[in-house]
Amino acid sequence: MSGTAHSTAQGAPQPSDRLTPRSLHASASRWLAEGRAACIVSVDAIRGSTPRDQDARMLVVLDEVRGTVGGGHLEWRAIDLARQALREGMPAEGWTHTFPLGPTLGQCCGGVVTLRFEVLSAATLAAWQVPPPRFHVELHGAGHVGQAIVKLLSDLDCSVRWIDERADDLPEWDAQAGLPDPAMLAALPEHITWLPTEAAEREVADAPADACHLVLTHRHDLDLKIIDAVLRRSDFRFAGLIGSQTKRARFLHRLAEQGIEPDTLERLTCPIGLPDIQGKEPAVIAIAVVAQLLAEHAA
């Protein structure tokens, strides 16, 4: 099969949604239940420099695309091949197509990508292995910085519990409270859970082991309660507290008075965020913090 990518009126293919593996799998489940004819396109094999790793996927129907196998000319060709197959009738057994990125597509990566094309069915969905998330985040605080962090985590392969006490106190949303509006909460992806609570520090006990805890609430006394509970668990991957070096010193003193051992106190990260990323705007802080979590995961 060959041809050019299916185009919109402006001459460009419909853009791919950048979804996490879990969200993409959930979309596939919904489409299958709805009876939508769809093609699963996955990276079957790679050689050399390529835009995505093996097992990256996207879903293609005639009027929509979700996920990505790398963008650029490769993805345009893949969408075109999938839609041509959908129009002509998808082979039940699927097929593969190999793309030398440089000679065939003019992409600078220069590697070779083999894509697998399969019809979306109960069998292919069952065989679709979703990898575990990179990390789990317990995010305490839903103010401007918390909201900026959630926007970034929405597109990352992770799981999140987003926790705030103030939301439990408000009978209805109040724009002056600085909390996320109902539209933002309604649009949260499947991997982010919103949890209003009356006692945030008690929620620490329900966090999974090896979690990354980010504490950035509206009150320093609440920050202290939460981070104390985190440090007492000892099975956390990352314990991060927003603040300055002065806040760090004061909290370390208070936590030591409360019986936290010195070796555990050394595991507290405060301030949070990669130090080379400077700026106090919520979006800048969020970028620095999420980059720090990714660096910790890689390490």
Side-chain angles (χ1 to χ4, degrees), residues 6 14-17 19 27 30-31 34 36-39 58-67 79 82-83 86:
H6 181 77
Q14 295 181 356
S16 300
D17 292 334
L19 298 176
S27 294
R30 287 194 298 270
W31 287 9
E34 294 167 0
R36 299 185 74 180
C39 178
M58 69 179 178
L59 293 170
V60 181
V61 292
L62 292 178
D63 60 352
E64 191 173 354
V65 176
R66 294 196 178 185
I79 293 170
R83 286 177 171 163
L86 288 169

mmCIF file with all atom_site columns, all heavy atoms in Angstrom, residues 6 14-17 19 27 30-31 34 36-39 58-67 79 82-83 86:
data_model
loop_
_atom_site.group_PDB
_atom_site.id
_atom_site.type_symbol
_atom_site.label_atom_id
_atom_site.label_alt_id
_atom_site.label_comp_id
_atom_site.label_asym_id
_atom_site.label_entity_id
_atom_site.label_seq_id
_atom_site.pdbx_PDB_ins_code
_atom_site.Cartn_x
_atom_site.Cartn_y
_atom_site.Cartn_z
_atom_site.occupancy
_atom_site.B_iso_or_equiv
_atom_site.pdbx_formal_charge
_atom_site.auth_seq_id
_atom_site.auth_comp_id
_atom_site.auth_asym_id
_atom_site.auth_atom_id
_atom_site.pdbx_PDB_model_num
ATOM 1   N N   . HIS A 1 6  ? -3.624  11.150 4.620  1.00 0.00 ? 6  HIS A N   1
ATOM 2   C CA  . HIS A 1 6  ? -4.978  11.718 4.561  1.00 0.00 ? 6  HIS A CA  1
ATOM 3   C C   . HIS A 1 6  ? -4.929  13.155 5.077  1.00 0.00 ? 6  HIS A C   1
ATOM 4   O O   . HIS A 1 6  ? -4.328  13.435 6.106  1.00 0.00 ? 6  HIS A O   1
ATOM 5   C CB  . HIS A 1 6  ? -5.908  10.876 5.422  1.00 0.00 ? 6  HIS A CB  1
ATOM 6   C CG  . HIS A 1 6  ? -7.321  11.352 5.413  1.00 0.00 ? 6  HIS A CG  1
ATOM 7   N ND1 . HIS A 1 6  ? -8.174  11.114 4.370  1.00 0.00 ? 6  HIS A ND1 1
ATOM 8   C CD2 . HIS A 1 6  ? -8.027  12.053 6.330  1.00 0.00 ? 6  HIS A CD2 1
ATOM 9   C CE1 . HIS A 1 6  ? -9.358  11.631 4.638  1.00 0.00 ? 6  HIS A CE1 1
ATOM 10  N NE2 . HIS A 1 6  ? -9.300  12.209 5.818  1.00 0.00 ? 6  HIS A NE2 1
ATOM 11  N N   . GLN A 1 14 ? -4.701  15.226 10.223 1.00 0.00 ? 14 GLN A N   1
ATOM 12  C CA  . GLN A 1 14 ? -5.218  15.582 11.530 1.00 0.00 ? 14 GLN A CA  1
ATOM 13  C C   . GLN A 1 14 ? -4.160  15.304 12.586 1.00 0.00 ? 14 GLN A C   1
ATOM 14  O O   . GLN A 1 14 ? -3.473  14.293 12.531 1.00 0.00 ? 14 GLN A O   1
ATOM 15  C CB  . GLN A 1 14 ? -6.485  14.769 11.826 1.00 0.00 ? 14 GLN A CB  1
ATOM 16  C CG  . GLN A 1 14 ? -7.624  15.110 10.897 1.00 0.00 ? 14 GLN A CG  1
ATOM 17  C CD  . GLN A 1 14 ? -8.867  14.311 11.213 1.00 0.00 ? 14 GLN A CD  1
ATOM 18  O OE1 . GLN A 1 14 ? -8.852  13.453 12.067 1.00 0.00 ? 14 GLN A OE1 1
ATOM 19  N NE2 . GLN A 1 14 ? -9.938  14.601 10.517 1.00 0.00 ? 14 GLN A NE2 1
ATOM 20  N N   . PRO A 1 15 ? -3.975  16.194 13.573 1.00 0.00 ? 15 PRO A N   1
ATOM 21  C CA  . PRO A 1 15 ? -2.904  16.018 14.540 1.00 0.00 ? 15 PRO A CA  1
ATOM 22  C C   . PRO A 1 15 ? -3.168  14.844 15.462 1.00 0.00 ? 15 PRO A C   1
ATOM 23  O O   . PRO A 1 15 ? -4.299  14.522 15.799 1.00 0.00 ? 15 PRO A O   1
ATOM 24  C CB  . PRO A 1 15 ? -2.922  17.343 15.339 1.00 0.00 ? 15 PRO A CB  1
ATOM 25  C CG  . PRO A 1 15 ? -4.317  17.838 15.190 1.00 0.00 ? 15 PRO A CG  1
ATOM 26  C CD  . PRO A 1 15 ? -4.758  17.416 13.827 1.00 0.00 ? 15 PRO A CD  1
ATOM 27  N N   . SER A 1 16 ? -2.093  14.190 15.909 1.00 0.00 ? 16 SER A N   1
ATOM 28  C CA  . SER A 1 16 ? -2.200  13.084 16.855 1.00 0.00 ? 16 SER A CA  1
ATOM 29  C C   . SER A 1 16 ? -2.318  13.626 18.268 1.00 0.00 ? 16 SER A C   1
ATOM 30  O O   . SER A 1 16 ? -1.623  14.549 18.649 1.00 0.00 ? 16 SER A O   1
ATOM 31  C CB  . SER A 1 16 ? -0.957  12.201 16.767 1.00 0.00 ? 16 SER A CB  1
ATOM 32  O OG  . SER A 1 16 ? -0.797  11.661 15.491 1.00 0.00 ? 16 SER A OG  1
ATOM 33  N N   . ASP A 1 17 ? -3.211  13.047 19.057 1.00 0.00 ? 17 ASP A N   1
ATOM 34  C CA  . ASP A 1 17 ? -3.273  13.372 20.473 1.00 0.00 ? 17 ASP A CA  1
ATOM 35  C C   . ASP A 1 17 ? -2.104  12.712 21.170 1.00 0.00 ? 17 ASP A C   1
ATOM 36  O O   . ASP A 1 17 ? -1.811  11.560 20.957 1.00 0.00 ? 17 ASP A O   1
ATOM 37  C CB  . ASP A 1 17 ? -4.578  12.861 21.090 1.00 0.00 ? 17 ASP A CB  1
ATOM 38  C CG  . ASP A 1 17 ? -5.778  13.618 20.573 1.00 0.00 ? 17 ASP A CG  1
ATOM 39  O OD1 . ASP A 1 17 ? -5.617  14.771 20.172 1.00 0.00 ? 17 ASP A OD1 1
ATOM 40  O OD2 . ASP A 1 17 ? -6.863  13.025 20.559 1.00 0.00 ? 17 ASP A OD2 1
ATOM 41  N N   . LEU A 1 19 ? -1.155  11.007 24.107 1.00 0.00 ? 19 LEU A N   1
ATOM 42  C CA  . LEU A 1 19 ? -1.780  10.367 25.239 1.00 0.00 ? 19 LEU A CA  1
ATOM 43  C C   . LEU A 1 19 ? -0.803  9.415  25.899 1.00 0.00 ? 19 LEU A C   1
ATOM 44  O O   . LEU A 1 19 ? 0.107   8.890  25.268 1.00 0.00 ? 19 LEU A O   1
ATOM 45  C CB  . LEU A 1 19 ? -3.014  9.580  24.784 1.00 0.00 ? 19 LEU A CB  1
ATOM 46  C CG  . LEU A 1 19 ? -4.144  10.382 24.147 1.00 0.00 ? 19 LEU A CG  1
ATOM 47  C CD1 . LEU A 1 19 ? -5.236  9.451  23.662 1.00 0.00 ? 19 LEU A CD1 1
ATOM 48  C CD2 . LEU A 1 19 ? -4.706  11.374 25.130 1.00 0.00 ? 19 LEU A CD2 1
ATOM 49  N N   . SER A 1 27 ? -8.862  4.499  25.489 1.00 0.00 ? 27 SER A N   1
ATOM 50  C CA  . SER A 1 27 ? -9.543  4.953  24.277 1.00 0.00 ? 27 SER A CA  1
ATOM 51  C C   . SER A 1 27 ? -9.834  3.778  23.351 1.00 0.00 ? 27 SER A C   1
ATOM 52  O O   . SER A 1 27 ? -10.916 3.685  22.765 1.00 0.00 ? 27 SER A O   1
ATOM 53  C CB  . SER A 1 27 ? -8.682  5.988  23.545 1.00 0.00 ? 27 SER A CB  1
ATOM 54  O OG  . SER A 1 27 ? -8.550  7.167  24.292 1.00 0.00 ? 27 SER A OG  1
ATOM 55  N N   . ARG A 1 30 ? -12.824 1.907  24.611 1.00 0.00 ? 30 ARG A N   1
ATOM 56  C CA  . ARG A 1 30 ? -14.078 2.603  24.315 1.00 0.00 ? 30 ARG A CA  1
ATOM 57  C C   . ARG A 1 30 ? -14.441 2.463  22.842 1.00 0.00 ? 30 ARG A C   1
ATOM 58  O O   . ARG A 1 30 ? -15.605 2.214  22.504 1.00 0.00 ? 30 ARG A O   1
ATOM 59  C CB  . ARG A 1 30 ? -13.966 4.076  24.711 1.00 0.00 ? 30 ARG A CB  1
ATOM 60  C CG  . ARG A 1 30 ? -13.988 4.325  26.212 1.00 0.00 ? 30 ARG A CG  1
ATOM 61  C CD  . ARG A 1 30 ? -14.206 5.799  26.508 1.00 0.00 ? 30 ARG A CD  1
ATOM 62  N NE  . ARG A 1 30 ? -13.123 6.620  25.987 1.00 0.00 ? 30 ARG A NE  1
ATOM 63  C CZ  . ARG A 1 30 ? -12.027 6.924  26.668 1.00 0.00 ? 30 ARG A CZ  1
ATOM 64  N NH1 . ARG A 1 30 ? -11.860 6.459  27.893 1.00 0.00 ? 30 ARG A NH1 1
ATOM 65  N NH2 . ARG A 1 30 ? -11.091 7.694  26.135 1.00 0.00 ? 30 ARG A NH2 1
ATOM 66  N N   . TRP A 1 31 ? -13.464 2.647  21.971 1.00 0.00 ? 31 TRP A N   1
ATOM 67  C CA  . TRP A 1 31 ? -13.736 2.547  20.538 1.00 0.00 ? 31 TRP A CA  1
ATOM 68  C C   . TRP A 1 31 ? -14.214 1.153  20.163 1.00 0.00 ? 31 TRP A C   1
ATOM 69  O O   . TRP A 1 31 ? -15.115 0.993  19.333 1.00 0.00 ? 31 TRP A O   1
ATOM 70  C CB  . TRP A 1 31 ? -12.489 2.919  19.736 1.00 0.00 ? 31 TRP A CB  1
ATOM 71  C CG  . TRP A 1 31 ? -12.180 4.386  19.750 1.00 0.00 ? 31 TRP A CG  1
ATOM 72  C CD1 . TRP A 1 31 ? -12.786 5.344  20.519 1.00 0.00 ? 31 TRP A CD1 1
ATOM 73  C CD2 . TRP A 1 31 ? -11.214 5.059  18.954 1.00 0.00 ? 31 TRP A CD2 1
ATOM 74  N NE1 . TRP A 1 31 ? -12.234 6.582  20.251 1.00 0.00 ? 31 TRP A NE1 1
ATOM 75  C CE2 . TRP A 1 31 ? -11.265 6.432  19.294 1.00 0.00 ? 31 TRP A CE2 1
ATOM 76  C CE3 . TRP A 1 31 ? -10.281 4.644  18.014 1.00 0.00 ? 31 TRP A CE3 1
ATOM 77  C CZ2 . TRP A 1 31 ? -10.437 7.387  18.714 1.00 0.00 ? 31 TRP A CZ2 1
ATOM 78  C CZ3 . TRP A 1 31 ? -9.446  5.594  17.420 1.00 0.00 ? 31 TRP A CZ3 1
ATOM 79  C CH2 . TRP A 1 31 ? -9.537  6.949  17.765 1.00 0.00 ? 31 TRP A CH2 1
ATOM 80  N N   . GLU A 1 34 ? -17.730 0.756  21.219 1.00 0.00 ? 34 GLU A N   1
ATOM 81  C CA  . GLU A 1 34 ? -18.615 1.541  20.363 1.00 0.00 ? 34 GLU A CA  1
ATOM 82  C C   . GLU A 1 34 ? -18.718 0.979  18.947 1.00 0.00 ? 34 GLU A C   1
ATOM 83  O O   . GLU A 1 34 ? -19.503 1.470  18.124 1.00 0.00 ? 34 GLU A O   1
ATOM 84  C CB  . GLU A 1 34 ? -18.115 2.989  20.290 1.00 0.00 ? 34 GLU A CB  1
ATOM 85  C CG  . GLU A 1 34 ? -18.199 3.734  21.622 1.00 0.00 ? 34 GLU A CG  1
ATOM 86  C CD  . GLU A 1 34 ? -17.409 5.037  21.605 1.00 0.00 ? 34 GLU A CD  1
ATOM 87  O OE1 . GLU A 1 34 ? -16.808 5.344  20.548 1.00 0.00 ? 34 GLU A OE1 1
ATOM 88  O OE2 . GLU A 1 34 ? -17.385 5.724  22.637 1.00 0.00 ? 34 GLU A OE2 1
ATOM 89  N N   . ARG A 1 36 ? -16.319 1.067  16.632 1.00 0.00 ? 36 ARG A N   1
ATOM 90  C CA  . ARG A 1 36 ? -15.609 1.890  15.644 1.00 0.00 ? 36 ARG A CA  1
ATOM 91  C C   . ARG A 1 36 ? -14.530 1.058  14.961 1.00 0.00 ? 36 ARG A C   1
ATOM 92  O O   . ARG A 1 36 ? -13.740 0.376  15.613 1.00 0.00 ? 36 ARG A O   1
ATOM 93  C CB  . ARG A 1 36 ? -14.976 3.109  16.295 1.00 0.00 ? 36 ARG A CB  1
ATOM 94  C CG  . ARG A 1 36 ? -15.963 4.039  16.951 1.00 0.00 ? 36 ARG A CG  1
ATOM 95  C CD  . ARG A 1 36 ? -15.284 5.303  17.469 1.00 0.00 ? 36 ARG A CD  1
ATOM 96  N NE  . ARG A 1 36 ? -14.916 6.204  16.397 1.00 0.00 ? 36 ARG A NE  1
ATOM 97  C CZ  . ARG A 1 36 ? -14.314 7.379  16.570 1.00 0.00 ? 36 ARG A CZ  1
ATOM 98  N NH1 . ARG A 1 36 ? -13.995 7.782  17.800 1.00 0.00 ? 36 ARG A NH1 1
ATOM 99  N NH2 . ARG A 1 36 ? -14.015 8.154  15.562 1.00 0.00 ? 36 ARG A NH2 1
ATOM 100 N N   . ALA A 1 37 ? -14.489 1.107  13.654 1.00 0.00 ? 37 ALA A N   1
ATOM 101 C CA  . ALA A 1 37 ? -13.439 0.410  12.902 1.00 0.00 ? 37 ALA A CA  1
ATOM 102 C C   . ALA A 1 37 ? -12.147 1.201  13.054 1.00 0.00 ? 37 ALA A C   1
ATOM 103 O O   . ALA A 1 37 ? -12.064 2.363  12.649 1.00 0.00 ? 37 ALA A O   1
ATOM 104 C CB  . ALA A 1 37 ? -13.829 0.295  11.434 1.00 0.00 ? 37 ALA A CB  1
ATOM 105 N N   . ALA A 1 38 ? -11.131 0.582  13.639 1.00 0.00 ? 38 ALA A N   1
ATOM 106 C CA  . ALA A 1 38 ? -9.888  1.289  13.944 1.00 0.00 ? 38 ALA A CA  1
ATOM 107 C C   . ALA A 1 38 ? -8.695  0.400  13.654 1.00 0.00 ? 38 ALA A C   1
ATOM 108 O O   . ALA A 1 38 ? -8.773  -0.833 13.679 1.00 0.00 ? 38 ALA A O   1
ATOM 109 C CB  . ALA A 1 38 ? -9.869  1.733  15.404 1.00 0.00 ? 38 ALA A CB  1
ATOM 110 N N   . CYS A 1 39 ? -7.573  1.055  13.418 1.00 0.00 ? 39 CYS A N   1
ATOM 111 C CA  . CYS A 1 39 ? -6.308  0.379  13.172 1.00 0.00 ? 39 CYS A CA  1
ATOM 112 C C   . CYS A 1 39 ? -5.332  0.742  14.291 1.00 0.00 ? 39 CYS A C   1
ATOM 113 O O   . CYS A 1 39 ? -5.186  1.923  14.629 1.00 0.00 ? 39 CYS A O   1
ATOM 114 C CB  . CYS A 1 39 ? -5.732  0.780  11.818 1.00 0.00 ? 39 CYS A CB  1
ATOM 115 S SG  . CYS A 1 39 ? -4.130  0.027  11.431 1.00 0.00 ? 39 CYS A SG  1
ATOM 116 N N   . MET A 1 58 ? -0.264  4.222  18.143 1.00 0.00 ? 58 MET A N   1
ATOM 117 C CA  . MET A 1 58 ? -1.326  5.189  17.892 1.00 0.00 ? 58 MET A CA  1
ATOM 118 C C   . MET A 1 58 ? -2.536  4.449  17.356 1.00 0.00 ? 58 MET A C   1
ATOM 119 O O   . MET A 1 58 ? -2.428  3.336  16.823 1.00 0.00 ? 58 MET A O   1
ATOM 120 C CB  . MET A 1 58 ? -0.885  6.299  16.940 1.00 0.00 ? 58 MET A CB  1
ATOM 121 C CG  . MET A 1 58 ? -0.639  5.913  15.520 1.00 0.00 ? 58 MET A CG  1
ATOM 122 S SD  . MET A 1 58 ? -0.149  7.371  14.540 1.00 0.00 ? 58 MET A SD  1
ATOM 123 C CE  . MET A 1 58 ? 0.132   6.598  12.943 1.00 0.00 ? 58 MET A CE  1
ATOM 124 N N   . LEU A 1 59 ? -3.703  5.062  17.539 1.00 0.00 ? 59 LEU A N   1
ATOM 125 C CA  . LEU A 1 59 ? -4.960  4.536  17.038 1.00 0.00 ? 59 LEU A CA  1
ATOM 126 C C   . LEU A 1 59 ? -5.425  5.412  15.880 1.00 0.00 ? 59 LEU A C   1
ATOM 127 O O   . LEU A 1 59 ? -5.402  6.640  15.986 1.00 0.00 ? 59 LEU A O   1
ATOM 128 C CB  . LEU A 1 59 ? -6.031  4.548  18.131 1.00 0.00 ? 59 LEU A CB  1
ATOM 129 C CG  . LEU A 1 59 ? -5.836  3.612  19.322 1.00 0.00 ? 59 LEU A CG  1
ATOM 130 C CD1 . LEU A 1 59 ? -6.850  3.949  20.411 1.00 0.00 ? 59 LEU A CD1 1
ATOM 131 C CD2 . LEU A 1 59 ? -5.996  2.166  18.882 1.00 0.00 ? 59 LEU A CD2 1
ATOM 132 N N   . VAL A 1 60 ? -5.859  4.777  14.813 1.00 0.00 ? 60 VAL A N   1
ATOM 133 C CA  . VAL A 1 60 ? -6.271  5.523  13.622 1.00 0.00 ? 60 VAL A CA  1
ATOM 134 C C   . VAL A 1 60 ? -7.669  5.074  13.201 1.00 0.00 ? 60 VAL A C   1
ATOM 135 O O   . VAL A 1 60 ? -7.933  3.871  13.052 1.00 0.00 ? 60 VAL A O   1
ATOM 136 C CB  . VAL A 1 60 ? -5.286  5.298  12.457 1.00 0.00 ? 60 VAL A CB  1
ATOM 137 C CG1 . VAL A 1 60 ? -5.725  6.105  11.227 1.00 0.00 ? 60 VAL A CG1 1
ATOM 138 C CG2 . VAL A 1 60 ? -3.869  5.672  12.865 1.00 0.00 ? 60 VAL A CG2 1
ATOM 139 N N   . VAL A 1 61 ? -8.560  6.041  13.036 1.00 0.00 ? 61 VAL A N   1
ATOM 140 C CA  . VAL A 1 61 ? -9.829  5.820  12.354 1.00 0.00 ? 61 VAL A CA  1
ATOM 141 C C   . VAL A 1 61 ? -9.886  6.814  11.198 1.00 0.00 ? 61 VAL A C   1
ATOM 142 O O   . VAL A 1 61 ? -8.976  7.621  11.015 1.00 0.00 ? 61 VAL A O   1
ATOM 143 C CB  . VAL A 1 61 ? -11.035 5.996  13.310 1.00 0.00 ? 61 VAL A CB  1
ATOM 144 C CG1 . VAL A 1 61 ? -11.062 4.894  14.349 1.00 0.00 ? 61 VAL A CG1 1
ATOM 145 C CG2 . VAL A 1 61 ? -11.025 7.352  13.971 1.00 0.00 ? 61 VAL A CG2 1
ATOM 146 N N   . LEU A 1 62 ? -10.948 6.774  10.429 1.00 0.00 ? 62 LEU A N   1
ATOM 147 C CA  . LEU A 1 62 ? -10.988 7.613  9.234  1.00 0.00 ? 62 LEU A CA  1
ATOM 148 C C   . LEU A 1 62 ? -11.022 9.094  9.551  1.00 0.00 ? 62 LEU A C   1
ATOM 149 O O   . LEU A 1 62 ? -10.583 9.916  8.739  1.00 0.00 ? 62 LEU A O   1
ATOM 150 C CB  . LEU A 1 62 ? -12.204 7.225  8.374  1.00 0.00 ? 62 LEU A CB  1
ATOM 151 C CG  . LEU A 1 62 ? -12.135 5.837  7.728  1.00 0.00 ? 62 LEU A CG  1
ATOM 152 C CD1 . LEU A 1 62 ? -13.408 5.547  6.949  1.00 0.00 ? 62 LEU A CD1 1
ATOM 153 C CD2 . LEU A 1 62 ? -10.910 5.719  6.820  1.00 0.00 ? 62 LEU A CD2 1
ATOM 154 N N   . ASP A 1 63 ? -11.540 9.466  10.731 1.00 0.00 ? 63 ASP A N   1
ATOM 155 C CA  . ASP A 1 63 ? -11.676 10.888 11.028 1.00 0.00 ? 63 ASP A CA  1
ATOM 156 C C   . ASP A 1 63 ? -10.950 11.312 12.306 1.00 0.00 ? 63 ASP A C   1
ATOM 157 O O   . ASP A 1 63 ? -11.160 12.418 12.783 1.00 0.00 ? 63 ASP A O   1
ATOM 158 C CB  . ASP A 1 63 ? -13.151 11.264 11.141 1.00 0.00 ? 63 ASP A CB  1
ATOM 159 C CG  . ASP A 1 63 ? -13.866 10.485 12.246 1.00 0.00 ? 63 ASP A CG  1
ATOM 160 O OD1 . ASP A 1 63 ? -13.250 9.553  12.811 1.00 0.00 ? 63 ASP A OD1 1
ATOM 161 O OD2 . ASP A 1 63 ? -15.034 10.798 12.537 1.00 0.00 ? 63 ASP A OD2 1
ATOM 162 N N   . GLU A 1 64 ? -10.083 10.461 12.847 1.00 0.00 ? 64 GLU A N   1
ATOM 163 C CA  . GLU A 1 64 ? -9.430  10.799 14.110 1.00 0.00 ? 64 GLU A CA  1
ATOM 164 C C   . GLU A 1 64 ? -8.167  9.970  14.283 1.00 0.00 ? 64 GLU A C   1
ATOM 165 O O   . GLU A 1 64 ? -8.061  8.852  13.789 1.00 0.00 ? 64 GLU A O   1
ATOM 166 C CB  . GLU A 1 64 ? -10.392 10.541 15.277 1.00 0.00 ? 64 GLU A CB  1
ATOM 167 C CG  . GLU A 1 64 ? -9.923  11.102 16.610 1.00 0.00 ? 64 GLU A CG  1
ATOM 168 C CD  . GLU A 1 64 ? -10.985 10.960 17.695 1.00 0.00 ? 64 GLU A CD  1
ATOM 169 O OE1 . GLU A 1 64 ? -12.119 10.529 17.372 1.00 0.00 ? 64 GLU A OE1 1
ATOM 170 O OE2 . GLU A 1 64 ? -10.676 11.285 18.856 1.00 0.00 ? 64 GLU A OE2 1
ATOM 171 N N   . VAL A 1 65 ? -7.201  10.558 15.009 1.00 0.00 ? 65 VAL A N   1
ATOM 172 C CA  . VAL A 1 65 ? -5.952  9.869  15.347 1.00 0.00 ? 65 VAL A CA  1
ATOM 173 C C   . VAL A 1 65 ? -5.644  10.147 16.801 1.00 0.00 ? 65 VAL A C   1
ATOM 174 O O   . VAL A 1 65 ? -5.776  11.279 17.268 1.00 0.00 ? 65 VAL A O   1
ATOM 175 C CB  . VAL A 1 65 ? -4.769  10.354 14.477 1.00 0.00 ? 65 VAL A CB  1
ATOM 176 C CG1 . VAL A 1 65 ? -3.464  9.690  14.923 1.00 0.00 ? 65 VAL A CG1 1
ATOM 177 C CG2 . VAL A 1 65 ? -5.023  10.083 13.007 1.00 0.00 ? 65 VAL A CG2 1
ATOM 178 N N   . ARG A 1 66 ? -5.246  9.113  17.539 1.00 0.00 ? 66 ARG A N   1
ATOM 179 C CA  . ARG A 1 66 ? -4.809  9.293  18.917 1.00 0.00 ? 66 ARG A CA  1
ATOM 180 C C   . ARG A 1 66 ? -3.486  8.575  19.114 1.00 0.00 ? 66 ARG A C   1
ATOM 181 O O   . ARG A 1 66 ? -3.290  7.472  18.613 1.00 0.00 ? 66 ARG A O   1
ATOM 182 C CB  . ARG A 1 66 ? -5.849  8.758  19.901 1.00 0.00 ? 66 ARG A CB  1
ATOM 183 C CG  . ARG A 1 66 ? -7.139  9.545  19.874 1.00 0.00 ? 66 ARG A CG  1
ATOM 184 C CD  . ARG A 1 66 ? -8.008  9.272  21.076 1.00 0.00 ? 66 ARG A CD  1
ATOM 185 N NE  . ARG A 1 66 ? -9.207  10.089 21.032 1.00 0.00 ? 66 ARG A NE  1
ATOM 186 C CZ  . ARG A 1 66 ? -10.111 10.131 22.005 1.00 0.00 ? 66 ARG A CZ  1
ATOM 187 N NH1 . ARG A 1 66 ? -9.945  9.394  23.095 1.00 0.00 ? 66 ARG A NH1 1
ATOM 188 N NH2 . ARG A 1 66 ? -11.172 10.899 21.894 1.00 0.00 ? 66 ARG A NH2 1
ATOM 189 N N   . GLY A 1 67 ? -2.600  9.207  19.908 1.00 0.00 ? 67 GLY A N   1
ATOM 190 C CA  . GLY A 1 67 ? -1.286  8.644  20.130 1.00 0.00 ? 67 GLY A CA  1
ATOM 191 C C   . GLY A 1 67 ? -0.317  9.079  19.045 1.00 0.00 ? 67 GLY A C   1
ATOM 192 O O   . GLY A 1 67 ? -0.648  9.884  18.158 1.00 0.00 ? 67 GLY A O   1
ATOM 193 N N   . ILE A 1 79 ? -0.402  6.982  8.975  1.00 0.00 ? 79 ILE A N   1
ATOM 194 C CA  . ILE A 1 79 ? -1.833  7.314  9.008  1.00 0.00 ? 79 ILE A CA  1
ATOM 195 C C   . ILE A 1 79 ? -2.474  7.020  7.657  1.00 0.00 ? 79 ILE A C   1
ATOM 196 O O   . ILE A 1 79 ? -3.571  6.448  7.580  1.00 0.00 ? 79 ILE A O   1
ATOM 197 C CB  . ILE A 1 79 ? -2.027  8.795  9.394  1.00 0.00 ? 79 ILE A CB  1
ATOM 198 C CG1 . ILE A 1 79 ? -1.585  9.039  10.840 1.00 0.00 ? 79 ILE A CG1 1
ATOM 199 C CG2 . ILE A 1 79 ? -3.487  9.221  9.210  1.00 0.00 ? 79 ILE A CG2 1
ATOM 200 C CD1 . ILE A 1 79 ? -1.514  10.512 11.229 1.00 0.00 ? 79 ILE A CD1 1
ATOM 201 N N   . ALA A 1 82 ? -2.847  3.233  7.225  1.00 0.00 ? 82 ALA A N   1
ATOM 202 C CA  . ALA A 1 82 ? -3.906  2.700  8.090  1.00 0.00 ? 82 ALA A CA  1
ATOM 203 C C   . ALA A 1 82 ? -5.283  3.051  7.539  1.00 0.00 ? 82 ALA A C   1
ATOM 204 O O   . ALA A 1 82 ? -6.188  2.201  7.498  1.00 0.00 ? 82 ALA A O   1
ATOM 205 C CB  . ALA A 1 82 ? -3.729  3.250  9.503  1.00 0.00 ? 82 ALA A CB  1
ATOM 206 N N   . ARG A 1 83 ? -5.469  4.291  7.086  1.00 0.00 ? 83 ARG A N   1
ATOM 207 C CA  . ARG A 1 83 ? -6.781  4.699  6.582  1.00 0.00 ? 83 ARG A CA  1
ATOM 208 C C   . ARG A 1 83 ? -7.098  4.040  5.248  1.00 0.00 ? 83 ARG A C   1
ATOM 209 O O   . ARG A 1 83 ? -8.263  3.712  4.981  1.00 0.00 ? 83 ARG A O   1
ATOM 210 C CB  . ARG A 1 83 ? -6.830  6.223  6.477  1.00 0.00 ? 83 ARG A CB  1
ATOM 211 C CG  . ARG A 1 83 ? -6.959  6.874  7.850  1.00 0.00 ? 83 ARG A CG  1
ATOM 212 C CD  . ARG A 1 83 ? -6.951  8.372  7.797  1.00 0.00 ? 83 ARG A CD  1
ATOM 213 N NE  . ARG A 1 83 ? -7.296  8.912  9.114  1.00 0.00 ? 83 ARG A NE  1
ATOM 214 C CZ  . ARG A 1 83 ? -7.073  10.162 9.485  1.00 0.00 ? 83 ARG A CZ  1
ATOM 215 N NH1 . ARG A 1 83 ? -6.510  11.024 8.644  1.00 0.00 ? 83 ARG A NH1 1
ATOM 216 N NH2 . ARG A 1 83 ? -7.415  10.575 10.686 1.00 0.00 ? 83 ARG A NH2 1
ATOM 217 N N   . LEU A 1 86 ? -8.323  0.692  6.214  1.00 0.00 ? 86 LEU A N   1
ATOM 218 C CA  . LEU A 1 86 ? -9.675  0.759  6.777  1.00 0.00 ? 86 LEU A CA  1
ATOM 219 C C   . LEU A 1 86 ? -10.725 0.922  5.678  1.00 0.00 ? 86 LEU A C   1
ATOM 220 O O   . LEU A 1 86 ? -11.805 0.337  5.747  1.00 0.00 ? 86 LEU A O   1
ATOM 221 C CB  . LEU A 1 86 ? -9.769  1.923  7.772  1.00 0.00 ? 86 LEU A CB  1
ATOM 222 C CG  . LEU A 1 86 ? -9.048  1.734  9.106  1.00 0.00 ? 86 LEU A CG  1
ATOM 223 C CD1 . LEU A 1 86 ? -8.985  3.049  9.867  1.00 0.00 ? 86 LEU A CD1 1
ATOM 224 C CD2 . LEU A 1 86 ? -9.761  0.670  9.946  1.00 0.00 ? 86 LEU A CD2 1
#
